[in-house]
Amino acid sequence: NDSEVVLVEAKDSVRKQWLVVAVMAGCTIGYICGLNYGVVSLTGACLVVLTKCVDVKTATQSVNWGVYFVVAGTLGIAKGIEVSGAGTVIANSIYSAFNVFGESAFAYCVMMLIISTLISNVMSNNVAVGICVPIALSVAQRLHADALPFVLCCAVGSNLSVATPICTAAITITASAGYHFKHFAKFGG
C-alpha cells in the first residue's frame, strides 16, 4: 500500500532528523569541553554516515575540496615565509617604512590589520592570515612586544575584507548566484 510506504518513509525521515540533531548536540558539547575539533568533527560525520542519515556519496560530494587545498597551500606558504627568513625581511621593511611610529606596538598592530585586510582582498582570508602571521610575529619580536595582539590583528583584518568575492568563503559562495568581480567593484562588496 502506497500510504504505508509514505508513512514509513516519514517516520524514517523524522528519526534521521533527530539523530542529526543529537550528533550536532554531541559535537557542540565536545567542542565546549575542549576536545580536539578534528576528532569531534570526524566522529560526528562518521556517525551521521553510519546511521544512514546521509549516504557516503552525498557526503563526499558535498565536501568543498578546494578549501582543503587552500589551507594546505597556506600552511606551506606560511612555513616557507617563516623558514626562509622572508618574514623577518618583510617585518624589517615594514618597521623601516613606518619608523615614524617609533616603538608603538599599537601602531604596528594597526598596520598589520590594514596589510592583512588588503591582502585578503586579492586572495582568501586563510591565505592572508598564513602570509601575515609570520610577518606579524617578526614585527612583535622586533618591538619586544606580546605577539598575541599582532596575530589577532591579522586574523581580524583578513576577515574585514569585503571588496572582492574571494576574500571569505561566505562571500565566495555568492559566485554561484552570479555575482562576480565586476559587481563587487561596482558596489564595493
Side-chain angles (χ1 to χ4, degrees), residues 87-142:
T88 304
V89 171
I90 295 169
N92 289 339
S93 299
I94 290 171
Y95 189 81
S96 297
F98 300 103
N99 63 2
V100 68
F101 297 137
E103 297 289 319
S104 171
F106 176 77
Y108 285 100
C109 277
V110 171
M111 286 308 306
M112 290 311 305
L113 182 114
I114 292 168
I115 290 168
S116 62
T117 301
L118 293 174
I119 290 174
S120 69
N121 272 302
V122 294
M123 51 186 69
S124 81
N125 59 341
N126 297 325
V127 175
V129 168
I131 290 172
C132 290
V133 165
I135 297 167
L137 293 174
S138 295
V139 170
Q141 186 178 22
R142 170 125 187 204

Side-chain angles (χ1 to χ4, degrees), residues 44-102:
C46 289
L47 285 172
V48 170
V49 171
L50 290 173
T51 57
K52 298 187 181 185
C53 293
V54 176
D55 62 87
V56 175
K57 183 178 180 182
T58 303
T60 55
Q61 286 178 344
S62 66
V63 173
N64 185 350
W65 295 104
V67 171
Y68 292 103
F69 293 121
V70 167
V71 171
T74 301
L75 293 173
I77 291 170
K79 193 64 173 175
I81 289 172
E82 178 187 335
V83 170
S84 70
T88 304
V89 171
I90 295 169
N92 289 339
S93 299
I94 290 171
Y95 189 81
S96 297
F98 300 103
N99 63 2
V100 68
F101 297 137

